Amino acid sequence: MIGLISATAAGAAARDRLAAAWPDRTRVYDGPVGDAVRRAFAECGQLVCFLATGAVVRLVAPLLGDKATDPGVVCVDEGGRYAVSLVGGHGGGANELAREVGAVLGAEPVVTTATDAVGIAGLDTLGLHVEGAVAAVSRALLDGEPVALRAEAAWPLPPLPVAEDGPYAIRVTDRLVESSEREAVLRPPTLVVGVGASKGAPAAEVLDVIGSALRDAGLSVRSVAELATVDAKAEEPGIVEAAARLGVPLVTYAAEDLARVEVPNPSDAPLAAVGTPSVAEAAALVRGGELLVPKRKSAASPAMATCAVVRRPGRGRLAVVGLGPGARDLLTPRARAELERASVLVGLDQYVDQIRDLLRPGTRILESGLGAEEERARTAVAEARKGQAVALIGSGDAGVYAMASPALAEASDDIDVVGVPGVTAALAAGAILGAPLGHDHVSISLSDLHTPWEVIERRVRAAAEADLVVTFYNPRSRGRDWQLPKALAILAGHREPTTPVGVVRNASRPDESSRLTTLGALDPATVDMMTVVTVGNTATREIAGRMVTPRGYRWQAPQEDAQ
């Protein structure tokens, strides 16, 4: 919950705007400001104070305890010009909150955390447990000193400006290790602990057998991703409490699914009790991995708990990102976040140039020229299979005549795939023209490089007969100058010559141009590959210089009757 505190009418107005935008995330604290801040600090995970920073500093200073647990605090000035991340930039999420508040209120986010200021991912923002010389290694990264990345466990990390070797190091491991004074240790959640327990097994016994199993195997409890057990034990108090105290989810599986898992130590006892010859080992192994610790019993007599430990390799991550039509303000926040998260970027060189300034230091860029779509898709998937966090970029929406199709045709289920939608060329052009896509519409590419012309022509004819608004992608190039006239002729067989046609070139880019013409007057020679051509249906009209396709046909009936 985010506590909101204000002292003046101007502050209250901005406070109320934020409360209205986030009704489920915020709570307004009224009364004397000092009391309100103290109550919010104790009750909320974050605070937004519509007060001067000096006043907030004096109010929260006596309340501060530890940056790992203190709430994040953001200050917004009386004029609503700035959202300042004051306390808990990383641990309390104040940096991101300042950006979110700024987006809602139109305020400039002010973030002074060193790593954020220079675009380096903070080691405490990676979503992993971090220990060791975090401050020293972070300073080395900021100062440009060589920092080695020693990855004993593959994990899709964001970009870090690391070197092959150096006096400082970032170590990625799930093993128990003693870090040096120049080493930060990242704990990837690679370990799954399968747990079995008799009814009434105390949480202390469950935790004891888990702890001893991990210690004896030289593994860190901070790399435990989840506890796993059989469905019949989903509400066993000792197991539920153990998961809660470890801070990990409890995942359960049906007995018949566990019974199909091959294990080294099956037993008749669990088969009779819950319907599977193995609980701990099978639950840990059911989704694959390497068995590091076979089933072991707790030290109590009689033993009421068992556990087994499996290491699951980190899965690579492929984000297929749509950049939109080109304008920076049409690049979605989600796309920006994925660009910052990716340690490897794969894309067409001209698209890479559009967003190069958004990439974090240390991002590895793999770019190529036109005509290498399949090669880029294979490269992106191969990098993800190495355990990398990869972004594969394309213009518009990555799933519309772009990179998602070839990439997903290459990708199997051994990597995680995330699709990030973008504003398509058809949508960008439609917004410029007016509302040409207000009713049923279709997009058709006239490029016959991948699709035989006979298929394209059949689709154009079907769209013409169905009276659909048609947006043509890839309408004409130097080597393909007859397809657009042919497609327009097919449409002309079903629509009047006065049918509105919108022509938009380089939508949303600095050299954008657009014009409204008609089906009979359009000169195909004025169209190129950077152009989108939208042909209206029989209901489309030009109204006040704009292309409009009504949502239905009924609205025209009174006009027709009047005629």
Side-chain angles (χ1 to χ4, degrees):
M1 186 61 66
I2 303 171
L4 306 182
I5 301 102
S6 63
T8 66
R15 176 202 68 193
D16 292 344
R17 285 173 56 198
L18 195 62
W22 298 341
D24 298 327
R25 298 177 60 189
T26 57
R27 179 187 304 159
V28 173
Y29 284 80
D30 293 316
V33 171
D35 292 342
V37 168
R38 282 189 289 273
R39 285 187 288 122
F41 198 93
E43 297 171 1
C44 296
Q46 295 174 318
L47 281 70
V48 179
C49 299
F50 296 85
L51 304 163
T53 54
V56 179
V57 166
R58 287 190 293 272
L59 289 169
V60 302
L63 309 176
L64 296 176
D66 187 301
K67 71 176 186 177
T69 56
D70 288 337
V73 180
V74 170
C75 292
V76 179
D77 64 288
E78 293 286 320
R81 298 168 300 171
Y82 304 105
V84 182
S85 173
L86 186 68
V87 172
H90 286 166
N95 291 351
E96 183 57 33
L97 180 60
R99 297 184 183 100
E100 291 185 85
V101 170
V104 173
L105 301 180
E108 180 72 20
V110 178
V111 176
T112 58
T113 306
T115 50
D116 290 67
V118 298
I120 295 175
L123 297 181
D124 55 352
T125 68
L126 305 182
L128 306 179
H129 287 291
V130 58
E131 56 195 60
V134 178
V137 174
S138 296
R139 280 196 302 271
L141 289 171
L142 290 168
D143 292 341
E145 296 190 48
V147 176
L149 177 63
R150 298 168 183 159
E152 299 172 9
W155 198 260
L157 297 173
L160 293 166
V162 294
E164 291 187 5
D165 199 7
Y168 294 89
I170 299 170
R171 190 171 183 178
V172 185
T173 182
D174 57 16
R175 297 190 302 110
L176 278 175
V177 293
E178 290 292 333
S179 59
S180 72
E181 61 183 13
R182 292 189 171 189
E183 184 178 63
V185 179
L186 296 177
R187 299 295 189 186
T190 55
L191 305 179
V192 177
V193 179
V195 178
S198 303
K199 185 176 181 179
E205 184 173 342
V206 177
L207 289 168
D208 182 68
V209 70
I210 293 172
S212 62
L214 293 171
R215 285 191 302 274
D216 292 349
L219 300 170
S220 172
V221 69
R222 289 191 164 187
S223 281
V224 174
E226 62 189 41
L227 298 192
T229 191
V230 67
D231 280 348
K233 298 296 180 179
E235 297 181 3
E236 183 62 42
I239 297 178
V240 172
E241 184 180 342
R245 287 170 62 177
L246 290 171
V248 298
L250 175 62
V251 180
T252 65
Y253 299 96
E256 54 266 30
D257 293 333
L258 297 185
R260 289 192 289 267
V261 179
E262 291 188 13
V263 297
N265 299 293
S267 171
D268 292 335
L271 179 62
V274 294
T276 172
S278 172
V279 173
E281 289 179 336
L285 284 166
V286 66
R287 290 171 53 196
E290 176 188 4
L291 183 63
L292 302 180
V293 180
K295 182 181 72 173
R296 63 186 292 167
K297 296 181 180 181
S298 57
S301 182
M304 299 184 71
T306 60
C307 80
V309 183
V310 162
R311 176 186 287 138
R312 287 185 194 156
R315 290 167 60 88
R317 189 175 190 276
L318 173 62
V320 189
V321 182
L323 300 180
R328 180 58 59 84
D329 59 352
L330 292 182
L331 179 69
T332 67
R334 189 178 300 178
R336 282 175 176 262
E338 290 295 343
L339 294 176
E340 292 180 353
R341 177 173 182 169
S343 59
V344 179
L345 182 86
V346 182
L348 179 67
D349 47 15
Q350 59 184 334
Y351 298 151
V352 172
D353 288 340
Q354 289 180 20
I355 48 83
R356 197 181 296 270
D357 62 302
L358 298 178
L359 304 178
R360 290 187 185 272
T363 304
R364 185 156 57 95
I365 300 173
L366 304 176
E367 54 188 317
S368 53
L370 288 168
E373 288 84 0
E374 287 79 7
E375 178 187 343
R376 285 194 291 276
R378 287 193 293 270
T379 297
V381 172
E383 290 293 328
R385 285 187 175 134
K386 295 176 185 177
Q388 303 285 346
V390 182
L392 175 63
I393 59 173
S395 68
D397 181 275
V400 179
Y401 303 124
M403 294 305 302
S405 295
L408 268 62
E410 291 285 336
S412 51
D413 63 359
D414 57 345
I415 61 173
D416 295 326
V417 178
V418 177
V420 182
V423 177
T424 67
L427 294 177
I432 293 165
L433 296 170
L437 308 182
H439 207 288
D440 296 338
H441 55 275
V442 63
S443 294
I444 299 177
S445 171
L446 295 183
S447 172
D448 54 3
L449 295 177
H450 299 285
T451 306
W453 173 253
E454 294 76 14
V455 175
I456 297 173
E457 182 174 341
R458 186 166 68 247
R459 291 169 180 172
V460 174
R461 199 174 301 281
E465 294 173 353
D467 197 28
L468 297 173
V469 175
V470 182
T471 297
F472 288 123
Y473 280 69
N474 307 312
R476 185 177 181 273
S477 67
R478 284 193 296 262
R480 297 186 300 100
D481 59 1
W482 59 267
Q483 287 91 341
L484 179 59
K486 177 66 173 177
L488 294 174
I490 294 171
L491 292 177
H494 298 266
R495 300 175 195 183
E496 296 295 328
T498 56
T499 299
V501 175
V503 181
V504 179
R505 188 177 190 278
N506 283 332
S508 86
R509 299 180 184 179
D511 55 347
E512 168 190 300
S513 63
S514 65
R515 68 184 188 278
L516 196 58
T517 181
T518 64
L519 186 57
L522 175 63
D523 179 5
T526 63
V527 173
D528 63 13
M529 282 289 287
M530 307 304 292
T531 305
V532 172
V533 178
T534 301
V535 182
N537 65 11
T538 57
T540 305
R541 299 288 183 266
E542 179 182 344
I543 301 174
R546 303 179 186 90
M547 187 176 177
V548 180
T549 302
R551 292 184 61 186
Y553 289 83
R554 295 180 182 177
W555 72 287
Q556 298 179 70
Q559 295 182 2
E560 294 170 356
D561 292 343
Q563 292 174 1

